[in-house]
Amino acid sequence: MADTQELIARINALALRSNRSKSTLSRLLFGNGKRIDEIEAGGSITLTTYQRAAEALAELEQTAAAGAHAPHSSRYPEGRAAFPHKHLLGIAGLAPHEILFLLDEAEQWVELNRQSHKRDNRLAGLTIINAFFENSTRTLLSFEIAGKRLGADVVNMHAAQSSVKKGETLIDTALTLNAMRSDAIVIRHGSSGAVRLIADKVDCPVLNAGDGQHEHPTQGLLDALTIRRALRERGVTEPFSGLKVVICGDVLHSRVARSNVHCLTTLGADVRVCAPPALMPAGIEQLKVTAFHDFDAALEGAEVVMMLRLQNERMQGSFVPSPAEYRHLYGLTPERLSRAAPDALVMHPGPMNRGVEIDSIVADLPERSLITTQVEMGVAMRMACLDVLTRQPRGVEGWQ
């Protein structure tokens, strides 16, 4: 048997330092939310269990220590003042500390999702409706997994099976959803501003899963989380300050680009956007970015390269001559990537068009491609958003 007094002392210290409950740490370390209480009450554990828990605890302590150096990490207001918004409709308008608060909240869910027992029941008894008026695979699946891992009852509503196809107005749909007494609604819609319209008509928190060409806030947040974790692993304590990020592709139609621009510039990054003239929004410099039409020039010294796909479904007419010519001018090839910083990170929100905006050899680069990590961070980030936005209606202390 192992002496557990020192281990328990470290766990209690981490709980205070990281603002995590002991039950959460117990699940992360032992796969059982009550195990720490049992040990404190005199229960014993085997040497093997002790060693595994000690190794996992060391990793959590390291993550918490890195987080202590993040900008604004010690300046969060108490309780609901840390994130006072009822809805998450966009990144624009959020303060740096509010963004960082959500990133820090997601860290615990990254750890939980890597355990064999991926369950926390803090949203047990709550109903979350995923109302997707646009087709989606990865975003819908990510929100569904996030809600279920938090213990909520998750219902997916697809527009193809909804009354919208029968002529029901968006406002009537919103009123119908509200009458069902859902506790949170996640909405994706093809029209910019549609999510805000629904949010104004319902009583529960609303999360924007992408509206037209406006924003996709959880994608911007998960991308920031992905970047922060990757750079911290390299020993960078303030990852966003002056970070050179290039966003290249169909910027005109990309709500992902807009959310990333708002998120990264708010956190202090130097963001460059690159696109053919026909796919560059007019006046985008007003968003505190530098616009390029020459991809090679944009890549000079870049530390993060984020590629966007051509959104052909949103294009009316021909915006590019051909996929082959687009790749020639704007595709991320190994040769073109060499213009960026030697260890530049590669990202893509998906789905990818391999051989068009990005070559497979680049998309699959070990140590540098974060594309699958983005998918992983998406679940954790959406868990954090669902948790935070439902704290006030759940009556969590300090959030009323």
Side-chain angles (χ1 to χ4, degrees):
M1 299 296 176
D3 182 0
T4 57
Q5 289 185 356
E6 180 185 357
L7 186 70
I8 293 297
R10 287 169 59 194
I11 291 171
N12 288 331
L14 179 61
L16 290 173
R17 198 162 64 245
S18 63
N19 197 30
R20 289 174 174 166
S21 67
K22 284 200 296 182
S23 61
T24 295
L25 291 175
S26 185
R27 280 189 292 272
L28 293 174
L29 298 173
F30 301 102
N32 181 336
K34 298 181 179 180
R35 193 71 182 99
I36 291 176
D37 291 337
E38 293 170 355
I39 296 170
E40 287 183 319
S44 60
I45 56 175
T46 66
L47 181 59
T48 299
T49 300
Y50 174 88
Q51 290 173 336
R52 288 176 179 171
E55 290 175 2
L57 179 60
E59 292 182 6
L60 292 174
E61 288 172 331
Q62 185 177 4
T63 299
H69 298 290
H72 311 284
S73 63
S74 61
R75 305 181 197 172
Y76 298 141
E78 292 291 329
R80 193 182 180 197
F83 194 85
H85 310 281
K86 178 180 179 180
H87 310 295
L88 180 61
L89 306 181
I91 301 296
L94 295 185
H97 79 268
E98 293 170 344
I99 295 172
L100 290 166
F101 175 74
L102 292 177
L103 300 190
D104 285 349
E105 286 294 309
E107 292 288 354
Q108 63 180 310
W109 305 122
V110 175
E111 302 299 334
L112 178 72
N113 290 339
R114 292 178 176 179
Q115 307 298 314
S116 58
H117 182 77
K118 304 174 179 64
R119 184 81 172 183
D120 183 288
N121 288 318
R122 66 184 59 194
L123 300 192
L126 272 61
T127 300
I128 297 172
I129 297 178
N130 292 329
F132 278 54
F133 298 87
E134 276 190 328
N135 291 330
S136 170
T137 301
R138 63 187 65 218
T139 302
L140 176 60
L141 184 59
S142 184
F143 269 110
E144 182 176 3
I145 291 172
K148 288 182 176 179
R149 286 184 180 171
L150 290 171
D153 298 315
V154 180
V155 180
N156 295 332
M157 189 196 87
H158 301 276
Q161 292 100 38
S162 76
S163 295
V164 174
K165 290 293 183 180
K166 303 174 184 176
E168 183 175 78
T169 67
L170 188 60
I171 291 178
D172 284 336
T173 299
L175 295 174
T176 299
L177 293 175
N178 193 54
M180 294 178 183
R181 303 296 180 184
S182 57
D183 299 289
I185 304 176
V186 181
I187 302 172
R188 168 170 283 201
H189 200 282
S191 299
S192 301
V195 178
R196 179 173 292 279
L197 178 65
I198 294 176
D200 289 342
K201 301 294 182 181
V202 301
D203 300 322
C204 67
V206 171
L207 286 82
N208 183 1
D211 62 328
Q213 297 171 208
H214 174 227
E215 278 213 51
H216 191 350
T218 57
Q219 183 70 48
L221 291 168
L222 74 89
D223 287 341
L225 179 64
T226 302
I227 292 169
R228 188 176 77 168
R229 289 179 65 89
L231 292 180
R232 281 184 176 174
E233 287 178 1
R234 295 180 176 181
V236 181
T237 56
E238 294 191 11
F240 297 110
S241 180
L243 181 70
K244 297 179 178 62
V245 181
V246 172
I247 301 174
C248 180
D250 184 359
V251 179
L252 179 64
H253 299 102
S254 178
R255 54 198 176 205
V256 171
R258 282 166 180 75
S259 287
N260 267 291
V261 164
H262 289 308
C263 187
L264 295 172
T265 56
T266 299
L267 295 177
D270 172 13
V271 179
R272 311 166 186 174
V273 293
C274 181
L279 294 175
M280 182 72 77
I284 194 169
E285 293 85 356
Q286 296 177 18
L287 299 182
K288 301 178 183 179
V289 300
T290 306
F292 288 81
H293 297 308
D294 184 339
F295 193 19
D296 292 337
L299 282 170
E300 293 294 335
E303 297 165 279
V304 178
V305 183
M306 185 180 299
M307 302 305 298
L308 306 171
R309 70 180 179 90
L310 290 173
Q311 299 195 36
N312 296 307
E313 71 277 11
R314 301 185 190 278
M315 298 182 188
Q316 296 181 353
S318 178
F319 283 76
V320 295
S322 69
E325 185 165 346
Y326 182 84
R327 176 187 180 276
H328 176 68
L329 294 174
Y330 295 99
L332 188 59
T333 63
E335 296 76 22
R336 189 160 272 141
L337 183 60
S338 67
R339 294 179 176 273
D343 57 352
L345 301 169
V346 176
M347 304 178 71
H348 194 304
M352 289 185 288
N353 293 309
R354 291 175 182 258
V356 181
E357 74 268 11
I358 188 168
D359 282 7
S360 287
I361 192 172
V362 175
D364 300 330
L365 276 175
E367 309 296 330
R368 296 178 66 179
S369 175
L370 302 177
I371 296 171
T372 56
T373 305
Q374 290 173 264
V375 178
E376 179 190 5
M377 294 302 112
V379 176
M381 194 69 249
R382 285 154 184 148
M383 291 174 75
C385 292
L386 289 170
D387 172 27
V388 169
L389 289 180
T390 57
R391 287 180 183 177
Q392 192 271 335
R394 282 188 285 133
V396 174
E397 184 178 355
W399 289 78
Q400 293 88 347

